[in-house]
Amino acid sequence: MSESREPYVLGTGDDELARLGLQHRIWSDIAHEGWRRAGFGEGMRILDVGCGPGYASEDLAAIVGPSGEIVAVDESENFIRALESRRLPNVRAVLADVQEYEPSPDSFDGAYARWVLCFLGDPGRAVMRVSASLKSGGMFVVQDYFNYRALSVFPRPRVQAEVISAVERAWRERGGDPDFALRLPAMMKENGLEIVSIRPILRLASFGDELWSWPLTFFSNFLPVLVNNGYLGRQVADEYLGAMQEASRSERGFFSTPPVYEIIGRRR
Ligand SMILES: C[S@@+](CC[C@H](N)C(=O)[O-])C[C@H]1O[C@@H](n2cnc3c(N)ncnc32)[C@H](O)[C@@H]1O
């Protein structure tokens, strides 16, 4: 497994590691709601699919307690090393591509994937492998994007459409799909999972909300990458970031997240 393949469009360096930490803090209540809905609890074995540096894995480890286990899988050496360095006794970190990783069949009570399947060239293969690893009745909780271009800022930046389409282009050229979530229910059904619930999540940031830091860190990290790779001009990137910063400081400003769909499937 080499870091140089780097299919994950946002990269796996230390900036992204820090951004994922902030992102988890901002979205952790929503993760916990999904886990509660799926009945994740003490003593369970849970698979964290595409765990990143393992911020969700760590919360899951507290839920399952010392008698449970989290197996956290990611293909980034940097992220897996960061997770291992925290020495969590009931978390096993695994460096692997989730499209190929094959845990023992019928060995997990639950699985979680947040913003991972939307980056994969073959998400169906990952869903098949996760499903096979679940015990009958085991729950797969997914939180992922649909209709990414609905991401909005008010006042609307002049270059909004141009920037979002550059983000989407870069993402799709790496094999991902920013509108992935709507494909998932069918994928789950084809792989032995019945749909338990589908919940759309939209969040709004207004003046003073911590949620503003989510788009601000995302675009400050990612727009330079888009510029360096020729997806976007530097001036357009600067204009967009400036407009976003101004909106975040204005009492009139709003930010609306792209829709995140929480989809829970149960292994038959
Ligand atoms: C947006 S991050 C989400 C991380 C974590 N699920 C979270 O919510 O904090 C996407 C993660 O997917 C991982 N990833 C992308 N493609 C992968 C693959 N084929 N196999 C394993 N991990 C992958 C990346 O390395 C990155 O850690």
Side-chain angles (χ1 to χ4, degrees):
M1 177 84 24
S2 91
E3 287 280 273
S4 59
R5 191 166 69 84
E6 200 74 292
Y8 174 46
V9 67
L10 299 174
T12 58
D14 290 344
D15 282 359
E16 178 60 5
L17 193 145
R19 189 191 73 82
L20 290 173
L22 175 126
Q23 172 169 270
H24 178 63
R25 205 175 67 234
I26 291 176
W27 288 86
S28 78
D29 285 354
I30 283 171
H32 279 262
E33 282 168 25
W35 302 337
R36 264 196 303 278
R37 202 166 284 119
F40 289 0
E42 214 171 320
M44 288 187 169
R45 287 192 83 233
I46 309 275
L47 182 63
D48 188 357
V49 182
C51 60
Y55 301 115
S57 319
E58 194 166 343
D59 287 8
L60 284 165
I63 290 172
V64 302
S67 58
E69 186 187 34
I70 307 304
V71 176
V73 186
D74 202 280
E75 67 170 5
S76 157
E77 283 177 22
N78 193 29
F79 292 170
I80 288 295
R81 240 183 281 122
L83 173 55
E84 282 173 339
S85 71
R86 303 207 292 284
R87 299 186 182 285
L88 302 163
N90 55 349
V91 175
R92 185 154 62 83
V94 177
L95 180 66
D97 180 339
V98 295
Q99 297 160 120
E100 304 304 332
Y101 178 62
E102 266 184 292
S104 312
D106 308 320
S107 61
F108 284 98
D109 303 288
Y112 179 57
R114 176 176 61 185
W115 297 316
V116 174
L117 300 175
C118 65
F119 294 111
L120 303 180
D122 193 352
R125 198 171 167 83
V127 171
M128 176 185 80
R129 300 218 184 279
V130 171
S131 176
S133 77
L134 288 173
K135 299 173 187 169
S136 174
M139 299 285 205
F140 187 15
V141 179
V142 176
Q143 293 176 332
D144 219 321
Y145 291 123
F146 170 67
N147 194 15
Y148 189 80
R149 77 201 54 177
L151 181 159
S152 308
V153 190
F154 180 83
R156 185 177 165 85
R158 198 183 57 89
V159 292
Q160 173 73 19
E162 195 176 337
V163 168
I164 298 304
S165 91
V167 171
E168 291 200 322
R169 212 161 358 105
W171 193 332
R172 288 186 194 283
E173 281 175 14
R174 299 287 183 111
D177 179 359
D179 292 332
F180 169 73
L182 240 57
R183 290 162 56 201
L184 182 60
M187 221 172 250
M188 282 184 163
K189 287 181 196 163
E190 283 155 16
N191 286 288
L193 296 157
E194 60 186 354
I195 306 301
V196 173
S197 74
I198 302 183
R199 179 170 79 112
I201 301 158
L202 250 191
R203 296 176 67 192
L204 277 186
S206 58
F207 185 64
D209 287 345
E210 194 195 12
L211 180 59
W212 272 111
S213 59
W214 187 57
L216 284 169
T217 51
F218 173 79
F219 287 107
S220 344
N221 282 8
F222 192 43
L223 291 185
V225 176
L226 292 181
V227 171
N228 291 338
N229 293 319
Y231 288 99
L232 207 58
R234 190 170 303 278
Q235 275 183 346
V236 173
D238 290 347
E239 181 176 336
Y240 189 73
L241 201 55
M244 177 79 76
Q245 280 160 345
E246 213 173 298
S248 73
R249 289 192 294 257
S250 158
E251 295 202 19
R252 303 167 57 233
F254 269 104
F255 165 73
S256 172
T257 66
V260 174
Y261 277 63
E262 176 189 278
I263 301 175
I264 305 183
R266 177 173 32 220
R267 173 83 197 272
R268 288 198 200 93

